[in-house]
Amino acid sequence: MSSDRRVAIEPSTRSAAREQVVRWFSVMASNTADPVAGITRPSYGEGEQFAHTFLREEATALGLRVTEDAALNSYMTLPGRDSEAPAIMIGSHLDSVAQGGNFDGAAGVVAGLAALSMLRRHGISPRGDITVMGVRAEESAWFQTSYIGSRAALGRLSPEALQCRRVDTQATLAEHIRQCGGDPDVLLAGQPFLDPGRIRAFMEVHIEQAPSLVEAGVPLGIGTSIPGNFRYPEITVTGETAHVGLPRRFRRDALVAAARFVAQLDALWQRWEDAGKDMAFTVGRLHTDAANDAMTKVAGEVCFSLDVRAYDAADVARLHEDVLGIVATLQDECGVRFELGRQTQAPVATAASDIQAALTDLARSRGIASMPLASPASHDAAVFHEAGVPMGLLFVRNHHGSHNPHEAMDIDDFMLAVDVLTDWLLAQG
C-alpha cells in the first residue's frame, strides 16, 4: 500500500460502502429491538450474540479472515503483505445497555468493516494485517465490571471477574461465556490471545456521548483522552428500620444518609468545576429494600451504585480519598454503617499525539470540520493503551447522548469518520 495520502477511494466505492453501512445498522436494530424501547444487546446474551454472528458473516462475504478467541471476541482481518509487520486494529463493542441505542459501540465495528470493504474493492493490500475487532461485554451494566472482552483478549481479566453475576440472570460470567461457546478455563489461565507488541495501533470510532460536537456544529471529534474511574457496584447503607413518626434525634435513617452522600458528592463536583478541574460521578441505581420498605417506615437499608471518574490518575486517587472521607463522616453523623463492597477500576488513557495530529490533518485535507474532544465515557481503547498500544479515537456528532433509545447519529456524519479512518489506514503503508 502506498503511504501517499492522495490515494483516492472512488465515489462509487464509497456509495456502495454507505449502502452496506445503512443495511448493517438496520439489520442489527431490527433483530435486537427491545420490546419496550430502543435496542437491547446484553453482554453474552442473545442480542450481542446476534450482532457478532451477523457481522462475522458479513465480513466473510467481504473476503476477510474471521476468527474468535476464548472470550468470543470477533476478529475480522484484511491480511497484509508482510506477515511479520505489526497489525493495525480497529474496534469497539457490540453489546448495549438495556433499552439503549443502536450506535453506541456498534458504530466502531461498522466503521472498520466499511473501511476494509472500500480497501478490498480497490484491491489495496496493506503492509501488515488490518483487523476489525468486535469486542464482547464492554457495557459494565450487565456484570458490573469493566472492559471484559478487551481485558480477556489481552490476558488481563481477573479470576474474580469470571465469578461476577449478570444482573438479570444471576448466572456468572464464566457460565455465560461457556453457554455462548467460549472457554472460561483459558481465560482463567490468563493466556492472552493478543500480543500488544504485535499491534501497531488501536483505533476506535464512537458516537459522542455528550452533545459537545452538536453544540459546536462540528461533525467529527479527534479524541484526546479517556477518563479513569473507580466504581462500587453494590454499596449498602445499614441503619435502623423504625416508625414513620420517630423523632429525628432517634433516627438511624439509611435513606437520609445515602441522600446526603449524593448531595455531598454533588457539592464536591461543583467545587471541582469552580476550580476548572474535570470529574464526574454517577449514582446509577439507588433503592430501599423492596421486601421491607413502606410509606410508614424509616428505611433501615439502602443500596446504591457509584461511578467516579477523572482524566488524571492522581485526581482519581484524590477523589477516592474524598469519598472515603464523606463515608466516615456520615457514619458518625447519621449513626449508620456504609459497606462499600467490591471495587472495580479502569485506567486513564491518552490518545497517541501522532495519531491525533494525523487525524486532524486528514480531516482538514478533506475540508471536514473537527475539534479535539476528551471523551466523558469509557472505551475499550483504554485497555489497549494500558497494555502499551498506541491508540486513537474518532467521535461522531450525535444528538441526545447515548445509553438511551434516542441516539441520533447522522449517517452522513458517520461516513465522514469512515473517510478519515480510511485515509489514515492508507497513510500507514
Side-chain angles (χ1 to χ4, degrees):
M1 183 192 299
S2 169
S3 62
D4 187 346
R5 293 179 180 178
R6 290 172 295 181
V7 173
I9 298 297
E10 294 176 1
S12 60
T13 297
R14 187 182 188 275
S15 178
R18 189 185 191 282
E19 290 178 5
Q20 287 175 318
V21 162
V22 171
R23 181 173 64 84
W24 290 338
F25 280 132
S26 177
V27 170
M28 284 192 291
S30 61
N31 284 273
T32 63
D34 187 275
V36 176
I39 61 99
T40 298
R41 296 194 278 262
S43 302
Y44 292 103
E46 183 178 356
E48 184 193 53
Q49 189 72 26
F50 174 85
H52 277 263
T53 300
F54 170 65
L55 291 180
R56 286 201 303 261
E57 290 171 350
E58 292 295 306
T60 299
L62 292 174
L64 304 180
R65 184 177 70 228
V66 177
T67 57
E68 62 183 12
D69 60 22
L72 302 177
N73 294 302
S74 297
Y75 302 91
M76 297 158 280
T77 300
L78 177 61
R81 305 185 307 273
D82 180 358
S83 61
E84 297 302 313
I88 291 172
M89 298 195 71
I90 309 158
S92 194
H93 60 99
L94 289 171
D95 59 336
S96 79
V97 298
Q99 298 178 25
N102 193 38
F103 303 125
D104 184 332
V109 184
V110 170
L113 288 177
L116 294 196
S117 175
M118 290 195 287
L119 297 183
R120 286 282 294 173
R121 284 175 181 269
H122 274 259
I124 295 171
S125 178
R127 182 167 66 90
D129 289 356
I130 303 176
T131 295
V132 177
M133 181 180 180
V135 185
R136 291 278 185 165
E138 188 266 358
E139 295 290 2
S140 53
W142 295 102
F143 288 97
Q144 301 188 101
T145 195
S146 302
Y147 300 138
I148 289 170
S150 48
R151 281 179 166 161
L154 291 163
R156 292 167 174 254
L157 189 67
S158 70
E160 293 77 16
L162 288 165
Q163 297 309 309
C164 291
R165 297 185 180 274
R166 209 171 83 180
V167 295
D168 55 342
T169 66
Q170 289 303 300
T172 67
L173 174 59
E175 290 167 341
H176 271 282
I177 291 173
R178 200 179 302 279
Q179 287 167 7
C180 290
D183 191 343
D185 294 332
V186 171
L187 305 180
L188 188 63
Q191 182 65 39
F193 183 81
L194 297 176
D195 176 1
R198 300 282 300 153
I199 304 173
R200 185 171 173 182
F202 184 90
M203 182 73 72
E204 185 159 1
V205 178
H206 207 283
I207 59 171
E208 66 168 335
Q209 292 172 284
S212 300
L213 298 175
V214 173
E215 180 181 62
V218 173
L220 296 186
I222 309 302
T224 60
S225 55
I226 297 170
N229 67 54
F230 64 89
R231 289 169 168 166
Y232 287 100
E234 298 164 337
I235 298 175
T236 301
V237 184
T238 304
E240 188 174 271
T241 304
H243 186 276
V244 66
L246 190 70
R248 188 174 186 274
R249 66 184 182 277
F250 298 124
R251 292 193 181 211
R252 297 173 59 214
D253 191 322
L255 182 55
V256 167
R260 289 177 63 182
F261 176 87
V262 174
Q264 290 189 33
L265 264 185
D266 191 49
L268 176 65
W269 191 356
Q270 184 64 63
R271 293 195 297 273
W272 276 57
E273 282 199 346
D274 291 344
K277 294 179 68 65
D278 292 320
M279 64 157 287
F281 87 92
T282 302
V283 174
R285 184 183 66 253
L286 188 153
H287 56 85
T288 56
D289 179 5
N292 192 41
D293 59 13
M295 188 176 72
T296 55
K297 286 184 178 181
V298 174
E301 182 178 283
V302 168
C303 297
F304 65 93
S305 63
L306 177 66
D307 177 300
V308 181
R309 54 187 56 202
Y311 291 95
D312 180 89
D315 287 344
V316 175
R318 178 183 165 191
L319 286 165
H320 190 249
E321 291 300 316
D322 288 339
V323 165
L324 296 180
I326 291 170
V327 165
T329 298
L330 288 175
Q331 287 188 139
D332 290 340
E333 292 179 352
C334 299
V336 299
R337 183 176 73 257
F338 279 73
E339 295 178 3
L340 298 180
R342 178 172 60 93
Q343 179 190 353
T344 65
Q345 57 190 11
V348 173
T350 304
S353 59
D354 60 331
I355 296 179
Q356 291 184 54
L359 295 175
T360 300
D361 288 346
L362 290 167
R364 184 184 300 114
S365 70
R366 280 184 171 267
I368 301 171
S370 70
M371 58 182 271
L373 189 63
S375 174
S378 301
H379 302 286
D380 288 297
V383 179
F384 285 85
H385 173 270
E386 185 183 34
V389 177
M391 69 86 172
L393 299 157
L394 264 176
F395 293 107
V396 183
R397 176 167 51 190
N398 169 60
H399 294 262
H400 312 310
S402 68
H403 287 195
N404 66 70
H406 309 298
E407 293 172 3
M409 179 192 75
D410 188 278
I411 294 299
D412 288 336
D413 286 345
F414 176 75
M415 290 304 298
L416 296 179
V418 174
D419 290 338
V420 173
L421 173 63
T422 305
D423 288 348
W424 182 78
L425 293 173
L426 287 167
Q428 302 312 300

